[in-house]
């Protein structure tokens, strides 16, 4: 098989460290009813472990060189490869039931991947993904300067933990930064008690002007019962919890 060259424009860094790959695989518990979707398998070093797990397995890959390599390395996955851009993929009918997403996510689109998954949050009950360590720290941040839009939106629907820190030499080519494996597990919140689109808009508005208090950052909204919200509106977005943003959304209207 011809060696696949990592493509910079696709943000490819192939994970080659067998010990790390084994640890990632061990984070994923499956049974015969489990569905797994691997995103961006590259040359298949993690795929080799995933296809041995019980359950239904599929993978999505955009790089034709990787697709050819994978089909030669693993003939048994011939009908399980989805040759598409994950960000444009409709996840609705991939499996007969809910599923896990696993991937060494390209760093340049890792946030976009999570935003896309959020659209299908009631289908994706677990995510195990590779991120820049800095992004991982933002995802798990409950408060403070590292907290951001994606922190709040993901924490609204998932329990999040940083599981592994990965050094640069575990990849080819070696990235300039450390990486982390993060696991997301779907929480019990099936839907928000407020309008979800309004909630998202408020979260984005708060963090887009994160140095301002919420009272100033949310001037484009009409807020009912301001007295009840007074203590929250004195704070900045990074100080608020998911429930705090829900409370504001329950009393807000877009002007």
């Amino acid at each position: 098989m011809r060696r696949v060259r990592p493509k910079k424009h696709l943000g490819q860094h192939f994970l080659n460290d067998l010990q790390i790959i084994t640890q990632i695989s061990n984070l994923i518990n499956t049974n015969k009813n489990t569905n797994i979707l691997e995103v961006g398998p590259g040359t298949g070093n993690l795929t080799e472990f995933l296809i041995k797990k019980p359950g239904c397995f599929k993978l999505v890959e955009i790089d034709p060189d990787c697709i050819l390599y994978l089909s030669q390395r693993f003939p048994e996955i011939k009908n399980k490869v989805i040759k598409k851009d994950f960000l444009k993929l409709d996840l609705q009918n991939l499996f007969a039931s809910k599923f896990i997403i696993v991937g060494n996510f390209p760093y340049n689109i890792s946030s976009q991947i999570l935003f896309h998954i959020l659209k299908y949050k009631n289908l994706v009950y677990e995510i195990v993904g590779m991120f820049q360590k800095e992004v991982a720290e933002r995802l798990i941040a409950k408060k403070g300067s590292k907290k951001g839009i994606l922190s709040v939106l993901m924490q609204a629907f998932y329990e999040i933990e940083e599981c592994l820190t990965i050094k640069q030499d575990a990849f080819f080519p070696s990235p300039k930064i450390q990486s982390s494996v993060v696991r997301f597990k779907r929480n019990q919140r099936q839907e928000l008690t407020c309008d979800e689109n309004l909630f998202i808009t408020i979260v984005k508005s708060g963090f887009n002007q994160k140095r301002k208090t919420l009272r100033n950052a949310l001037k484009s909204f009409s807020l009912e019962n301001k007295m009840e919200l007074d203590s929250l509106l004195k704070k900045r977005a990074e100080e608020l919890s998911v429930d705090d943003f829900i409370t504001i959304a329950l009393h807000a209207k877009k002007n």
Side-chain angles (χ1 to χ4, degrees):
M1 292 184 293
R2 189 177 67 179
R3 184 177 179 182
V4 178
R5 292 181 177 273
K7 297 177 177 61
K8 188 174 182 180
H9 74 279
L10 292 177
Q12 290 175 331
H13 294 274
F14 298 144
L15 182 62
N16 293 326
D17 188 306
L18 183 59
Q19 182 178 359
I20 298 298
I21 294 167
T22 303
Q23 289 177 306
I24 294 172
S25 176
N26 289 341
L27 291 172
I28 305 159
N29 297 314
T30 68
N31 56 49
K32 65 178 182 179
N33 299 314
T34 302
N35 301 310
I36 302 177
L37 177 67
E38 185 181 9
V39 176
T43 54
N45 291 336
L46 179 58
T47 309
E48 184 174 4
F49 286 74
L50 297 179
I51 59 177
K52 295 174 183 175
K53 289 181 176 289
C56 181
F57 174 74
K58 295 181 181 181
L59 53 85
V60 54
E61 176 60 66
I62 193 173
D63 183 354
D65 290 338
C66 286
I67 292 169
L68 177 60
Y69 183 90
L70 289 165
S71 64
Q72 293 173 341
R73 183 176 177 182
F74 308 110
E76 66 269 37
I77 68 168
K78 180 179 179 181
N79 298 318
K80 299 179 179 180
V81 181
I82 302 166
K83 304 171 184 178
K84 287 187 178 181
D85 179 349
F86 176 76
L87 298 179
K88 297 177 182 177
L89 182 64
D90 184 353
L91 307 184
Q92 192 69 43
N93 299 307
L94 289 184
F95 298 98
S97 57
K98 296 179 181 181
F99 57 96
I100 299 171
I101 288 180
V102 184
N104 175 17
F105 301 148
Y107 298 142
N108 57 334
I109 60 166
S110 63
S111 293
Q112 292 171 262
I113 286 172
L114 291 181
F115 278 118
H116 188 58
I117 292 173
L118 272 172
K119 301 174 192 174
Y120 304 92
K121 56 187 174 295
N122 290 329
L123 287 175
V124 182
Y125 68 91
E126 187 171 334
I127 309 160
V128 177
M130 184 79 71
F131 298 86
Q132 291 184 31
K133 186 166 179 60
E134 180 183 344
V135 173
E137 289 172 349
R138 291 205 299 268
L139 287 167
I140 63 175
K142 298 291 187 181
K143 59 181 179 179
S145 60
K146 290 184 178 180
K147 188 173 182 178
I149 294 169
L150 201 52
S151 314
V152 176
L153 300 186
M154 292 304 295
Q155 289 173 24
F157 298 103
Y158 290 89
E159 301 295 333
I160 308 172
E161 62 174 331
E162 185 178 9
C163 301
L164 301 168
T165 297
I166 317 296
K167 293 183 178 180
Q168 295 95 316
D169 60 7
F171 301 88
F172 174 76
S174 298
K176 295 179 181 179
I177 42 81
Q178 282 192 321
S179 308
S180 290
V181 175
V182 181
R183 178 165 57 189
F184 306 73
K185 287 192 173 183
R186 191 69 172 82
N187 62 24
Q188 298 301 311
R189 185 183 277 123
Q190 294 303 305
E191 58 183 28
L192 301 182
T193 55
C194 63
D195 180 279
E196 187 170 320
N197 289 328
L198 183 59
F199 169 82
I200 293 170
T201 303
I202 287 172
V203 171
K204 289 182 176 179
S205 298
F207 281 100
N208 285 338
Q209 303 181 72
K210 61 185 299 182
R211 293 187 178 181
K212 294 184 178 182
T213 64
L214 270 296
R215 190 182 304 282
N216 292 319
L218 302 181
K219 282 187 174 180
S220 61
F221 296 84
S222 295
L223 299 173
E224 303 169 354
N225 302 321
K226 284 188 179 180
M227 292 296 291
E228 292 182 27
L229 301 178
D230 189 56
S231 62
L232 297 179
L233 297 177
K234 289 178 181 178
K235 298 179 179 180
R236 293 181 296 176
E238 65 188 35
E239 300 176 271
L240 267 61
S241 67
V242 170
D243 288 336
D244 290 336
F245 277 108
I246 290 173
T247 298
I248 292 175
L250 284 169
H251 295 86
K253 289 192 300 183
K254 194 82 170 70
N255 288 336

